[in-house]
Amino acid sequence: MEQPADWTEPGAHPVAPGVHRIPLELPIPSLHSVNVYVIEDPEGPVLVDPGWAMPDSRAALGAALRTLGHRLEDVGQFLVTHAHSDHYSQAIALRSAFGTRVRIGRGERHSIEAALAAGGHTHAGQAALLRRCGAAELADEVQGWDRGERPDWPDNTPDRWLDDGERVELARRGLDVFATPGHTRGHIVLRDAAAGLLFSGDHVLPHISPSIGLETSPEPKPLRSYLDSLRLVRDMPDTLLLPAHGPVTASAHTRIDELLAHHEARLDTAAAQVRAGHTTAYEVARAMPWTRRRRKLDDLDSFSRMLAVLEIDAHLDVLVDQGVLDSAESGGVRTYAVRA
């Protein structure tokens, strides 16, 4: 079905019979908006990735639902691809208001429980990884983000976990759950095989490469998991791509092929930088260009620098697994060298 030229245009846009897309503005300029998918069901609409808990976002979601003949309190359940705030927090807030059921992948339990135990102080894991990458000054800055008090961090555990291989049976369709770790360790996608739809969350995005392992309790080898997850979906029959950020796209396969090629190129570039004498993930990241404008790492904001360094760290770990590099650790910093 035809979509607006600007995918962020407010409203409820039909993407398939019984399915609408509602973009909600985000306070993250690089992401612009998050797509909430509304699936019609006699027991109340099912919402996939309902967005960030903010007053304006809630108002926009309510207004768009009303154009479809629904109220926020009519929603039957929330299905969430992963626990990042721009996907999950509004589900928790609306559950508090209306008692709506919330379901998310079981693999997110690690980070959900860690964030709850830490009172919402969620960046300690990233700071520790940055120190291992040789980026101590950046690690101090990231750790400082958690110094504010958050006394009212909500209970963010779901009502039920979604398991890999499970099928969510709705009145008019079935959604198959596939674990796709990488972006987060518990990320899932939902596939409607009969209708040819893939609700991909942040696993496959049409315009950007998702961050890897950005979560409270990251897994040890997130890029290896991400590449395996891309190949898992690539081996399925092709579908319409319904991403969390960006326009609806005709072929999930086409974009997956592009993402796999992107990471192969990144692996080659990272290996070349180690051959050139850069020994830590931080040094390698500083030697590489970033964004489409090919900016230097030091010219990026601190959040983007964190993502860049951790992305390179993940690529270097894959190169060790592939036998291209060797790694060693001294003084809490991991170094890399070309395998003899």
Side-chain angles (χ1 to χ4, degrees):
M1 296 185 177
E2 187 173 352
Q3 297 292 300
D6 179 1
W7 72 270
T8 67
E9 181 180 316
H13 309 292
V15 296
V19 181
H20 287 78
R21 180 182 63 86
I22 299 175
L24 299 178
E25 188 174 358
L26 291 174
I28 307 173
S30 60
L31 292 179
H32 304 292
S33 298
V34 61
N35 288 321
V36 182
Y37 292 96
V38 182
I39 302 172
E40 297 290 346
D41 192 73
E43 295 186 8
V46 175
L47 268 58
V48 178
D49 287 345
W52 198 314
M54 301 181 296
D56 288 351
S57 178
R58 178 168 171 168
L61 179 60
L65 283 173
R66 285 194 294 276
T67 68
L68 301 176
H70 304 300
R71 303 168 300 167
L72 287 170
E73 53 264 45
D74 297 333
V75 176
Q77 62 178 312
F78 299 116
L79 304 176
V80 187
T81 59
H82 62 293
H84 284 167
S85 294
D86 56 323
H87 297 250
Y88 191 47
S89 61
Q90 190 145 256
I92 298 301
L94 293 175
R95 179 179 66 181
S96 296
F98 305 118
T100 316
R101 291 173 294 159
V102 176
R103 304 182 69 186
I104 195 169
R106 188 177 295 276
E108 294 294 76
R109 184 170 188 166
H110 303 276
S111 288
I112 286 173
E113 291 182 349
L116 187 60
H121 293 172
T122 58
H123 294 98
Q126 275 70 49
L129 287 173
L130 287 169
R131 294 186 197 284
R132 192 187 74 174
C133 294
E137 185 175 331
L138 180 57
D140 289 341
E141 188 173 352
V142 169
Q143 199 154 6
W145 299 343
D146 281 347
R147 287 182 186 141
E149 293 296 325
R150 300 187 190 180
D152 298 321
W153 186 257
D155 180 355
N156 58 345
T157 53
D159 298 287
R160 280 188 60 190
W161 302 105
L162 290 166
D163 290 307
D164 182 38
E166 181 178 348
R167 185 173 173 85
V168 179
E169 293 288 359
L170 304 177
R172 300 187 182 96
R173 70 183 73 235
L175 301 174
D176 294 308
V177 178
F178 293 94
T180 50
H183 179 60
T184 66
R185 69 195 298 173
H187 194 290
I188 61 159
V189 299
L190 299 164
R191 188 170 185 272
D192 181 345
L197 306 176
L198 180 73
F199 299 90
S200 68
D202 283 1
H203 179 54
V204 183
L205 299 175
H207 289 159
I208 58 176
S209 175
S211 61
I212 303 297
L214 180 62
E215 53 195 324
T216 307
S217 178
E219 63 169 303
K221 300 290 180 86
L223 181 60
R224 181 176 63 185
S225 294
Y226 181 64
L227 296 175
D228 287 345
S229 297
L230 285 177
R231 295 182 186 108
L232 171 75
V233 179
R234 183 60 175 83
D235 286 342
M236 301 173 188
D238 203 2
T239 60
L240 192 70
L241 176 64
L242 305 182
H245 310 286
V248 172
T249 304
S251 169
H253 282 183
T254 297
R255 182 54 182 158
I256 290 171
D257 289 343
E258 293 171 351
L259 287 166
L260 288 169
H262 164 79
H263 284 288
E264 281 298 320
R266 274 294 193 207
L267 289 167
D268 290 343
T269 303
Q273 293 299 337
V274 174
R275 291 189 190 98
H278 303 290
T279 62
T280 68
Y282 181 54
E283 290 176 359
V284 171
R286 291 191 75 199
M288 295 173 61
W290 294 95
T291 78
R292 293 177 182 176
R293 298 179 180 178
R294 300 183 67 80
R295 298 170 66 189
K296 293 181 179 180
L297 181 76
D298 293 345
D299 293 335
L300 304 178
D301 63 85
S302 57
F303 186 79
S304 297
R305 280 186 282 130
M306 176 189 71
L307 293 181
V309 173
L310 294 180
E311 178 185 328
I312 293 305
D313 181 54
H315 282 79
L316 294 173
D317 281 343
V318 167
L319 289 166
V320 171
D321 286 348
Q322 292 177 346
V324 177
L325 302 180
D326 285 321
S327 66
E329 194 161 321
S330 176
V333 176
R334 182 172 292 180
T335 59
Y336 298 87
V338 176
R339 185 166 296 182

